[in-house]
Amino acid sequence: MQKKIISVLLASVLAVSVLSGCGNSGGESKDSSKKSEETAKAEDGKVKVRILTRFSNPDSVRERYFMDMVAKFQEENQDIELEDVSISDEESHDTLFKTSVASGDPIEVFNFLGYAANIDYVKNGVVTDISSLLEEDPVWTENYIDALFAPVDYSAYGIEGTYGLPTSPYGVCCFYNKAIFDELGMEMPETWEGIEAAAPKLIEAGYIPMAFGAKDNYRAGHFLTALSMKYYGDQLKNDLIDNEKAWNDPEMLGLIEKMQKWQADGLFGDNNLAYDANGELAKLENKEAAIIFSGSWNIATINEFSNKDDIVCKGFPYFEEKPEYKDEWMGGPDDFMAMTSQPGDPDYDATVRVLKFFTSQEYYQGLYEAQAGAGTYPVTFGETIQADALTTEFNEYYGKATNMIGEIEQFSPMTSLLDVVRTEVTTIFSGDKAKDIADRIQGEVDTYNASN
């Protein structure tokens, strides 16, 4: 499986970061506002380093482990004041980092998606080239999967260096509450046609066929890309990025119309804007939802459910009419841990220590053990832990992947497109029409193309 996934990941160099809109706030060079000794020091004289991730939810095994490791680092490094400013909400996370950049005081260690949209940060020296650090300490990353570094390799743009370390590969999949299907005497459907057929019976019995927490707008972006891969493979993505197809042409419009119809038919339940991805998990555990679309990153958390034995992992549903795309996936490298402190900054050495701690083999070994072998990792391990049932089920599907991409918008040089698509598609849940959504997205693309 690893060789197959690696070959796919190597093809995914060009994409766009979750830090959309960096052309404005990210356009300022960090070098134009060097940190002083005073700003790098805490009140007690320690060197101050901030770390920004999306790990702030103690109910998640992965995130709770990170928070425990922040405390461990602080205990072991008394000369550094490590301030954890992590925020689970993606939009708030991105805003905090962009604000720190705009103020001339970028957060020292942070996670991001890499790819093309971050090229402004890279060009202007906001994100640090760590290639010399990697060369000086080869043991640090000797067990990393090399192909996962592709999205932070900007050599295709004439920029040499490495600008972050991968945190984990991932795949968008689905989790089913098998107890609901057993109760109703139903098979668990793995195609969209099967889910459409099962939905009325599930709704009649008081269950949400597939919970969709639209309060997190990235859920709409993930869903649309995963759906596109199952219907067109990556051809539609290529056509959109090359401007061979428009977002309001029949192909993409048809996918958004499917989402609109499923929402209108009750397949996604109701009140979707009132809950987020964590709410989806709660509905699965509380036997309110029959299915949620999620990702491999949630396997360890689901393994802590009171009814974990009722939960089954399957691939994202495919279409019976499009069997040739059954094994096309949304997935690949998750995000990257990067730094902004540069050689010569008073906090540089301390920042390097923080970065190395949270990207070390020891860090991932501890996470591997904390998650009891569940999930996916950017490194290989000498001894493997017997996989749990959900991980085994996930790998049965993941290992058959014939192609894999991140969100479609990640492949565009238009840095704002990721947020535009996510925000616009989410308006389905407030009653907007697919045609209006598609027209607005294409309008933004047309404006960008006209000015470039």
Side-chain angles (χ1 to χ4, degrees), residues 233-244:
D234 66 358
Q235 187 58 51
L236 180 55
K237 178 266 292 181
N238 294 336
D239 290 343
L240 289 168
I241 300 307
D242 293 339
N243 293 310
E244 297 294 328

Side-chain angles (χ1 to χ4, degrees), residues 28-36 39 101-106 345:
E28 297 180 22
S29 170
K30 182 176 185 292
D31 289 337
S32 67
S33 181
K34 278 278 190 181
K35 288 186 180 179
S36 67
T39 59
V101 173
S103 71
D105 186 23
D345 284 352

Side-chain angles (χ1 to χ4, degrees), residues 172-231:
V172 171
C173 58
C174 283
F175 296 101
Y176 292 63
N177 190 319
K178 186 176 182 294
I180 291 176
F181 291 95
D182 288 346
E183 174 188 310
L184 299 177
M186 302 169 65
E187 295 292 325
M188 291 181 287
E190 297 190 43
T191 67
W192 282 111
E193 292 88 348
I195 291 174
E196 288 177 317
K201 188 172 182 179
L202 290 166
I203 293 170
E204 183 180 1
Y207 298 114
I208 303 169
M210 179 180 284
F212 198 128
K215 187 176 181 181
D216 284 330
N217 72 359
Y218 81 88
R219 306 300 293 139
H222 280 195
F223 190 95
L224 184 61
T225 291
L227 194 67
S228 177
M229 289 296 283
K230 297 298 184 181
Y231 206 83

Side-chain angles (χ1 to χ4, degrees), residues 296-362:
S296 51
W297 58 85
N298 273 324
I299 289 176
T301 297
I302 294 173
N303 277 333
E304 291 199 335
F305 280 9
S306 58
N307 60 339
K308 66 177 182 179
D309 293 336
D310 293 335
I311 310 303
V312 173
C313 181
K314 294 181 178 292
F316 191 84
Y318 64 98
F319 290 90
E320 292 175 14
E321 62 176 308
K322 298 281 187 175
E324 64 270 33
Y325 301 123
K326 176 181 179 181
D327 294 319
E328 301 272 325
W329 277 62
M330 178 187 170
D334 188 352
D335 62 6
F336 296 80
M337 194 72 79
M339 60 183 281
T340 65
S341 296
Q342 305 281 353
D345 284 352
D347 58 11
Y348 178 75
D349 290 340
T351 299
V352 170
R353 282 161 60 186
V354 173
L355 179 68
K356 284 190 172 185
F357 182 89
F358 289 96
T359 58
S360 66
Q361 185 73 17
E362 291 75 19

